[in-house]
Amino acid sequence: MKLHVIDTGFFKLDGGAMFGVVPKVLWGKKYASDENNLCSWAARCLLVEDGNRLILIDTGLGNKQSEKFFSYYFLHGDATLEGSVRASGFAPEEVTDVILTHLHFDHVGGAVKYNGDRTKTLLTFPNAIYWSNASHWQWALQPNPRERPSFLKENLLPIQDSGQLRFIEKGQSPFGHIEFLYVDGHTEQMQLPVIRMGAQKIIYAADLIPSAAHLPVTWVMGYDVRPLVSMEEKTTVLGMAARENCILFFEHDAQTEAAFVEETERGFQVRAGGKLHTLL
């Protein structure tokens, strides 16, 4: 098995939204922001090379939205989803599976693209099975007012109509070396892949723990629909990571790709962090 970090560029979000009720005087010591209180965040994915399967976890924002849409998120950086897949040595056509942790636009947007003249949408990975779960898919198609701006039909319906959508059932996995944790604080039934690479486990933390700065259990995002549930789930997942020496993979941390964590008298903290390949 081999793991390839897939960079799709960076975008900006309001620091207050990303850190919820935590005062800037505290989170500002851990994560930088500009004069408009905006922080740069990664849209980082993971490509798992496992035997005859090439499995991509999440797809970033993509590039098919309008100029007005992207003006809110200040995309920057040179990396792209397809470019990073190719830089890892693969063509998009070789990806066999795409796991979607959840269906917010910054995780599923790259799954679908326009054709050359922008007259119709295509799946970015035309030979892949796209994996979600039934509860979250229905949640996204009938969104609550809080999340409606994050669930975009142009990201979802082409996948559904393609015939390449499959649902993972809780407690089961279609993959030999990937299991799933299900959490409900950020959104309904977000699925977190847990990759077994020999004796080492890597937890793809998605938006439960989007960055190393979010390790404090009470530091949950303003985007979370059930923040108290997020706190309970973070306690469970961080406890597992510390106890079982798991690596946490951060999807949105602009600096730290992954980390080992430990539980101290001051809560959960990074024991060792940096590039994923240095921790494996």
Side-chain angles (χ1 to χ4, degrees), residues 57-84:
I57 305 174
D58 279 350
T59 66
L61 285 76
N63 60 9
K64 67 182 177 299
Q65 304 307 134
S66 68
E67 184 176 343
K68 180 179 180 180
F69 177 90
F70 284 123
S71 72
Y72 301 138
Y73 300 105
F74 305 95
L75 267 65
H76 55 288
D78 298 325
T80 66
L81 173 62
E82 291 181 81
S84 293

Side-chain angles (χ1 to χ4, degrees), residues 101-117:
T101 62
H102 62 299
L103 301 170
H104 289 167
F105 67 82
D106 55 320
H107 296 258
V108 69
V112 176
K113 65 179 182 178
Y114 278 119
N115 63 351
D117 57 6

Side-chain angles (χ1 to χ4, degrees), residues 9-191:
F10 300 89
F11 66 115
K12 291 189 176 185
L13 291 172
D14 183 84
M18 284 297 286
F19 290 100
V21 299
V22 179
K24 184 180 179 181
V25 69
L26 295 179
W27 67 253
K29 296 176 181 178
K30 294 191 175 186
Y31 211 94
S33 63
D34 64 18
E35 66 277 6
N36 295 313
N37 210 47
L38 296 172
C39 305
S40 286
W41 303 96
R44 181 181 297 117
C45 311
L46 192 61
L47 189 64
V48 182
E49 188 181 352
D50 190 10
N52 61 356
R53 299 181 85 162
L54 189 61
I55 307 159
L56 178 67
I57 305 174
D58 279 350
T59 66
L61 285 76
N63 60 9
K64 67 182 177 299
Q65 304 307 134
S66 68
E67 184 176 343
K68 180 179 180 180
F69 177 90
F70 284 123
S71 72
Y72 301 138
Y73 300 105
F74 305 95
L75 267 65
H76 55 288
D78 298 325
T80 66
L81 173 62
E82 291 181 81
S84 293
V85 169
R86 293 186 186 279
S88 296
F90 303 98
E93 292 78 10
E94 294 180 87
V95 174
T96 61
D97 302 89
V98 177
I99 296 170
L100 301 168
T101 62
H102 62 299
L103 301 170
H104 289 167
F105 67 82
D106 55 320
H107 296 258
V108 69
V112 176
K113 65 179 182 178
Y114 278 119
N115 63 351
D117 57 6
R118 298 180 67 86
T119 57
K120 69 174 183 177
T121 55
L122 306 169
L123 296 192
T124 305
F125 305 97
N127 299 317
I129 297 298
Y130 285 70
W131 297 94
S132 182
N133 66 76
S135 294
H136 182 65
W137 194 269
Q138 286 304 121
W139 179 270
L141 290 184
Q142 300 173 337
N144 59 75
R146 176 78 169 274
E147 290 182 276
R148 185 172 290 117
S150 293
F151 291 130
L152 307 179
K153 290 185 177 180
E154 58 266 37
N155 288 334
L156 309 182
L157 297 184
I159 301 174
Q160 180 171 277
D161 294 342
S162 72
Q164 294 168 231
L165 174 65
R166 301 289 187 275
F167 293 141
I168 300 171
E169 294 187 20
K170 200 168 186 178
Q172 300 183 18
S173 175
F175 308 102
H177 297 96
I178 302 177
E179 301 169 349
F180 294 90
L181 302 173
Y182 290 87
V183 292
D184 296 296
H186 180 62
T187 187
E188 179 79 3
Q189 289 291 277
M190 180 167 64
Q191 52 191 26

Side-chain angles (χ1 to χ4, degrees), residues 189-209:
Q189 289 291 277
M190 180 167 64
Q191 52 191 26
L192 307 183
V194 181
I195 304 159
R196 287 182 288 107
M197 191 174 181
Q200 182 64 64
K201 288 183 179 180
I202 301 97
I203 301 173
Y204 191 102
D207 278 353
L208 178 66
I209 310 167

